[in-house]
Amino acid sequence: MSIVNSIRAQVPPIHPEGYPFIGGFALASLILFWIWTPLGWIGTLLTVWCALFFRDPVRVTPVREGIVVSPADGRVSMVVQALPPAELGLGDRPLPRISIFMSVFNCHVNRAPISGRIDRIAYRPGTFINAELDKASEDNERNSLVISSALGRIGVIQIAGLVARRIVSFVREGQTIGIGERFGLIRFGSRLDVFLPEGTNPLVSEGQTAIAGETILADFKGGDTGRSYRTN
């Protein structure tokens, strides 16, 4: 393998959603270089950060039936019992909820936690308080999905944060999606909540680092053997 190919293999691809932003940062950097060189270097660093933010690496996803994987990169900030938002239609009883906080340094491409049919997509405008706060689940702008599989229904909520101002969805209602496939992204720092069926035991704990499409959050079948994998 050549040196160029070796370097290329270590650099993750950029999601197309990021090209306008990276281009804008790069153009601003050129202008700043013209104004004052140190400002140009600051702009260059911000351009590199923007490119890293929109990275879209390949992930190796376990595909055994019953497994639920993380929809986001980040830190597991909460594992609690909570009432699901009314727009999900998941009932009025507390369900297991796993919250994953994404900082501005995490990859923000979101992936389906299970294979199934997207029964519902519901967007709700709101505020932009710190996504780590528990009340962000109720108050912040969010986009909710309900994915149905043969073993249960899962709610996935993209929540905008203090810096994030745009939730992007790549899917539509009625669409079938595979585990680990991309379904959206949130620009610049945010959180994802996953509501599991009643009685499901989460397999992660608060403070754990999650990797989208790879980290197993739960197992509907209660076992953890016989996995197979695929790349996405």
Side-chain angles (χ1 to χ4, degrees):
M1 181 181 290
S2 68
I3 294 178
V4 173
N5 288 336
S6 296
I7 296 174
R8 186 177 298 167
Q10 300 304 313
V11 178
I14 302 297
H15 195 278
E17 283 282 337
Y19 293 151
F21 295 90
I22 298 168
F25 272 89
L27 179 59
S29 298
L30 291 175
I31 296 173
L32 291 173
F33 269 118
W34 181 75
I35 296 172
W36 190 40
T37 300
L39 288 177
W41 285 115
I42 293 174
T44 299
L45 290 175
L46 290 174
T47 302
V48 172
W49 165 79
C50 187
L52 289 173
F53 179 88
F54 285 104
R55 65 192 183 276
D56 187 14
V58 171
R59 296 291 164 82
V60 180
T61 302
V63 293
R64 182 173 62 76
E65 187 178 15
I67 283 178
V68 181
V69 299
S70 175
D73 285 14
R75 177 175 54 84
V76 178
S77 59
M78 284 176 276
V79 180
V80 297
Q81 294 282 326
L83 286 173
E87 65 262 27
L88 289 179
L90 293 178
D92 56 1
R93 296 168 60 90
L95 297 175
R97 189 191 76 194
I98 300 172
S99 300
I100 301 167
F101 177 74
M102 297 178 286
S103 77
V104 294
F105 299 106
N106 289 123
C107 171
H108 273 55
V109 175
N110 304 142
R111 294 169 178 266
I114 57 171
S115 296
R117 182 181 183 275
I118 300 173
D119 283 345
R120 180 174 301 186
I121 299 177
Y123 170 78
R124 179 186 178 279
T127 59
F128 298 96
I129 64 174
N130 188 341
E132 285 203 270
L133 300 177
D134 190 39
K135 66 177 183 177
S137 294
E138 299 178 1
D139 297 341
N140 280 23
E141 175 180 325
R142 62 181 184 252
N143 188 59
S144 304
L145 283 72
V146 176
I147 304 175
S148 294
S149 73
L151 297 174
R153 303 173 75 210
I154 283 186
V156 186
I157 307 175
Q158 297 170 288
I159 302 173
L162 187 64
V163 181
R165 299 285 162 159
R166 183 76 171 94
I167 297 173
V168 182
S169 179
F170 308 148
V171 295
R172 64 186 185 279
E173 287 186 358
Q175 177 180 337
T176 298
I177 193 168
I179 186 171
E181 291 182 0
R182 300 160 182 82
F183 72 84
L185 64 81
I186 315 177
R187 295 175 186 160
F188 308 122
S190 44
R191 175 176 134 194
L192 258 80
D193 284 352
V194 179
F195 282 90
L196 301 168
E198 188 173 5
T200 305
N201 294 318
L203 298 180
V204 292
S205 60
E206 294 181 5
Q208 182 175 341
T209 298
I211 300 175
E214 294 190 357
T215 301
I216 296 175
L217 301 183
D219 185 352
F220 289 165
K221 291 192 171 183
D224 201 17
T225 60
R227 300 187 206 170
S228 60
Y229 296 84
R230 72 176 176 204
T231 57
N232 292 287

